[in-house]
């Protein structure tokens, strides 16, 4: 098959992969911060609930979580879901999975901030929320950015797992083309896309890291 034809057939899958990537980040990054707050809470039941949640999300395969999120409404509640729910299930599964990883990254960054900064903020008259969002959080972002970059790059590749519930993202489309044409050209094009996408993500995150540097 002509390369231009392969690329044109993959375009729809590419768009779906990018949508999964962007929506997952949009929801999982703030959710991860909320989970991290619960994980560090002084309220023991909340702290242990978040700890168990993180343990389950990090200790079970994302593929299994996709299957559970997709089939649970029907098998647990007898709800018949529309075809559109497939994409929604993917976003839900990816969001709750990556939020758990981001929560631990946030927690590590927050705990890396010296306690003296909290005390200094209190002396200056800042409240707890002001201290966190004005003084602590900007420093946390700088500390955790390399770890977040690693997770974001992994997310680009993990979008291919959507095939498990028949979402036609790019890798799924590439496999279908490869099977129909008995050629690996589509798979090679998909691999190049993932690679270039990750280079773009790494470049953007490196640029952001430089912008946040206190020494430049």
């Amino acid at each position: 098959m002509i390369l231009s034809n392969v690329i044109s057939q993959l375009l729809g899958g590419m768009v779906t992969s990018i949508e999964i990537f962007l929506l997952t980040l949009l929801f999982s990054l703030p959710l991860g911060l909320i989970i991290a707050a619960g994980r560090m809470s002084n309220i023991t039941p909340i702290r242990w609930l978040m700890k168990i949640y993180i343990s389950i999300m990090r200790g079970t395969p994302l593929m299994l979580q996709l299957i559970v999120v997709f089939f649970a409404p029907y098998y647990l509640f007898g709800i018949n879901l529309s075809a559109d729910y497939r994409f929604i299930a993917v976003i839900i599964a990816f969001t709750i999975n990556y939020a758990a990883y981001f929560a631990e990254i946030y927690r590590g960054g927050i705990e890396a901030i010296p306690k003296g900064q909290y005390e200094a903020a209190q002396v200056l008259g800042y409240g707890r929320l002001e201290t966190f969002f004005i003084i602590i959080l900007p420093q946390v972002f700088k500390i955790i950015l390399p770890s977040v970059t690693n997770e974001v790059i992994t997310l680009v590749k993990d979008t291919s797992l959507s095939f498990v519930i028949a979402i036609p993202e790019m890798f799924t489309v590439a496999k279908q083309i490869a099977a129909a044409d008995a050629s690996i050209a589509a798979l090679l094009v998909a691999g190049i896309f993932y690679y270039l996408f990750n280079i773009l993500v790494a470049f953007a995150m490196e640029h952001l890291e430089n912008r946040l540097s206190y020494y430049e």
Side-chain angles (χ1 to χ4, degrees):
M1 179 178 287
I2 299 175
L3 184 59
S4 59
N5 291 337
V6 172
I7 294 175
S8 65
Q9 291 187 52
L10 288 175
L11 282 177
M14 290 179 184
V15 171
T16 301
S17 294
I18 293 171
E19 287 177 345
I20 295 171
F21 171 80
L22 293 176
L23 289 173
T24 298
L25 287 182
L26 178 65
F27 295 122
S28 64
L29 284 170
L31 179 59
L33 187 59
I34 294 171
I35 295 169
R39 175 72 175 80
M40 302 175 68
S41 172
N42 293 325
I43 304 174
T44 301
I46 293 178
R47 185 172 67 251
W48 275 99
L49 181 63
M50 293 300 100
K51 189 174 182 179
I52 293 170
Y53 166 79
I54 292 171
S55 177
I56 293 173
M57 291 297 105
R58 297 201 304 172
T60 58
L62 176 54
M63 186 180 296
L64 175 61
Q65 294 166 22
L66 281 163
I67 294 171
V68 170
V69 171
F70 180 66
F71 288 106
Y74 176 77
Y75 285 105
L76 293 180
F77 308 108
I79 300 174
N80 291 317
L81 301 168
S82 66
D84 294 336
Y85 179 68
R86 291 182 185 276
F87 186 78
I88 296 173
V90 166
I91 301 304
I92 293 173
F94 271 75
T95 297
I96 62 176
N97 177 275
Y98 272 84
Y101 286 92
F102 287 137
E104 286 297 272
I105 292 173
Y106 283 129
R107 184 173 69 89
I110 293 170
E111 292 180 346
I113 303 298
K115 300 295 183 183
Q117 296 205 25
Y118 293 91
E119 296 169 358
Q122 186 176 11
V123 170
L124 293 172
Y126 285 98
R128 293 183 62 181
L129 288 178
E130 289 178 312
T131 299
F132 181 75
F133 286 104
I134 297 176
I135 298 175
I136 303 301
L137 196 57
Q139 298 180 72
V140 169
F141 282 145
K142 181 179 184 299
I143 292 171
I144 69 174
L145 204 53
S147 298
V148 170
T149 300
N150 288 335
E151 288 301 320
V152 172
I153 288 174
T154 301
L155 172 59
V156 173
K157 295 176 287 186
D158 277 352
T159 58
S160 63
L161 293 176
S162 304
F163 81 90
V164 74
I165 55 175
I167 288 294
E169 48 70 47
M170 186 183 59
F171 195 69
T172 300
V173 176
K175 288 191 296 181
Q176 292 171 351
I177 297 173
D181 297 335
S183 169
I184 64 169
L187 294 174
L188 291 176
V189 173
I192 292 171
F193 168 80
Y194 283 118
Y195 179 65
L196 293 177
F197 195 2
N198 273 327
I199 287 178
L200 180 62
V201 168
F203 175 79
M205 298 299 281
E206 183 179 357
H207 177 71
L208 180 59
E209 188 173 351
N210 291 334
R211 290 288 301 273
L212 292 176
S213 175
Y214 303 139
Y215 306 104
E216 296 182 2

